[in-house]
Amino acid sequence: MSFVEYGDMIKDGDTAIVFLGHESMFPVKVQHGSVTQTKYGVIRHSTDLIGKKYGSKVTCSKGGWVFILHPTPELWTMNLPHRTQILYSTDISIITMMLELKPGSIVCESGTGSGSLSHALIRTVAPTGHLYTVEFHQQRAQKAREEFREHGVEHLVTVTNQDVCKNGFGVSHIADAVFLDIPSPWEAIGHAKSALKAEGGRICSFSPCIEQVQRTCLAMEEYGFTEINTLEILLRVYNVRTISLQIPDLGKAAEDNSSTGFDSSNPSNQGSPCANLQQGTVQFKSGVPLREMVGHTGYLTFATKS
């Protein structure tokens, strides 16, 4: 099993996603002899998972069923254990596009955190690219190494435990792109410039506060970066559902009903279009925004090394 190469069969040691519904799923480490409890009953790894195909429908001990999905960076973002605040797919998608990443790209990242963006970057640059990720916190760096090993991507990533603001990324003039998600990104701009290739490399800084953005932009200008721009991604989800709207009374319906002898009190006419007009409402499908939505996550500042 690898997050960048699809495997058909579930094997011992794999990380799989147990899918109960769109709003309910979780990861599980497949191990011979282990069991996993769900609200639909027990899943026995030896008999219910190992040797089955990814995407299979598995019946639990209480008679309910779940799907077992192959892990992807998107599914991992939704289910990973949170060691820090993470980036979600809305921001990740624009980051990978604006940094112009592709298979074979070399990327530097700080900090690693929970590895949400890291998995997406690895999948984007595979199979010949590489990710150099720096994490200040020693335990988080070690846990990230273990996860990359378990997920079959350790050959595509190098994890370093150090302070990027003082010691940089550990590489020079090879990176196609640099991503910063740290409290004081302006202190790492010089190291980012040193890590980027001679010219044309791209940089992105993620910051939740506009004051951080201001200081970062000033530092980028000081180090000669160009095409500096900041944006914010807000996701607005719509539900498609049936709604009722009142029909304006223009006087035409009443005249037509009287001329045709329409009787609204007759039960046989209650389901007709004329009955709906007489009642003054019409139903149709429409897109309605959610009452609550995810608001501000952070500002993304992009620039190019000239």
Side-chain angles (χ1 to χ4, degrees):
M1 183 277 304
S2 171
F3 272 51
V4 298
E5 296 176 2
Y6 183 79
D8 192 42
M9 308 298 292
I10 304 172
K11 301 186 293 294
D12 188 16
D14 282 2
T15 297
I17 305 297
V18 179
F19 181 89
L20 292 82
H22 289 290
E23 301 297 328
S24 178
M25 62 184 90
F26 60 90
V28 62
K29 177 89 175 282
V30 179
Q31 293 179 312
H32 187 79
S34 295
V35 297
T36 297
Q37 294 283 350
T38 74
K39 63 182 181 180
Y40 300 126
V42 173
I43 301 174
R44 296 174 176 83
H45 294 198
S46 301
T47 57
D48 297 334
L49 299 183
I50 297 176
K52 301 289 182 65
K53 284 188 174 184
Y54 278 107
S56 296
K57 183 177 179 179
V58 173
T59 302
C60 304
S61 61
K62 293 182 180 179
W65 47 266
V66 298
F67 288 104
I68 308 299
L69 305 181
H70 192 284
T72 65
E74 291 80 10
L75 289 174
W76 186 244
T77 291
M78 298 171 63
N79 295 282
L80 58 77
H82 286 231
R83 300 183 288 274
T84 60
Q85 290 289 333
I86 69 169
L87 289 174
Y88 290 92
S89 296
T90 306
D91 288 316
I92 291 173
S93 60
I94 196 71
I95 290 169
T96 55
M97 185 190 75
M98 294 292 285
L99 289 181
E100 301 174 1
L101 301 182
K102 59 186 181 300
S105 295
I106 306 297
V107 187
C108 291
E109 174 198 25
S110 182
T112 312
S114 302
S116 173
L117 176 65
S118 304
H119 283 80
L121 294 177
I122 292 170
R123 197 263 307 274
T124 302
V125 304
T128 56
H130 200 84
L131 171 66
Y132 295 89
T133 182
V134 178
E135 173 56 52
F136 176 79
H137 194 274
Q138 183 178 2
Q139 285 76 19
R140 287 201 292 262
Q142 182 58 34
K143 185 60 179 178
R145 290 191 190 97
E146 295 172 2
E147 285 182 349
F148 293 142
R149 189 181 307 115
E150 292 175 358
H151 298 166
V153 296
E154 60 179 336
H155 62 293
L156 297 169
V157 56
T158 299
V159 182
T160 305
N161 172 220
Q162 64 187 28
D163 186 351
V164 70
C165 296
K166 294 180 179 179
N167 306 114
F169 293 93
V171 297
S172 298
H173 307 300
I174 65 170
D176 298 289
V178 170
F179 176 79
L180 299 174
D181 183 6
I182 54 179
S184 53
W186 56 89
E187 296 181 0
I189 298 300
H191 294 297
K193 183 177 181 180
S194 299
L196 287 168
K197 59 188 181 181
E199 60 179 339
R202 294 279 286 166
I203 184 174
C204 174
S205 174
F206 176 90
S207 298
C209 301
I210 196 63
E211 292 81 7
Q212 294 170 302
V213 174
Q214 292 169 338
R215 297 188 65 175
T216 303
C217 289
L218 290 174
M220 288 178 175
E221 288 183 341
E222 181 182 345
Y223 281 95
F225 283 89
T226 61
E227 299 179 337
I228 302 172
N229 64 86
T230 299
L231 52 88
E232 180 185 27
I233 307 299
L234 298 176
L235 178 66
R236 190 175 189 186
V237 179
Y238 281 77
N239 277 341
V240 177
R241 65 188 189 193
T242 301
I243 65 173
S244 298
L245 287 181
Q246 204 162 15
I247 300 175
D249 183 9
L250 303 178
K252 180 69 176 173
E255 297 176 3
D256 291 346
N257 291 344
S258 60
S259 62
T260 56
F262 180 82
D263 184 5
S264 60
S265 61
N266 189 339
S268 63
N269 290 329
Q270 294 300 314
S272 67
C274 290
N276 287 334
L277 291 175
Q278 188 72 11
Q279 292 167 3
T281 61
V282 62
Q283 291 185 334
F284 60 93
K285 295 287 185 181
S286 179
V288 180
L290 301 180
R291 294 185 178 181
E292 296 181 359
M293 61 174 280
V294 176
H296 171 76
T297 57
Y299 300 104
L300 294 169
T301 301
F302 297 91
T304 303
K305 181 178 179 180
S306 62

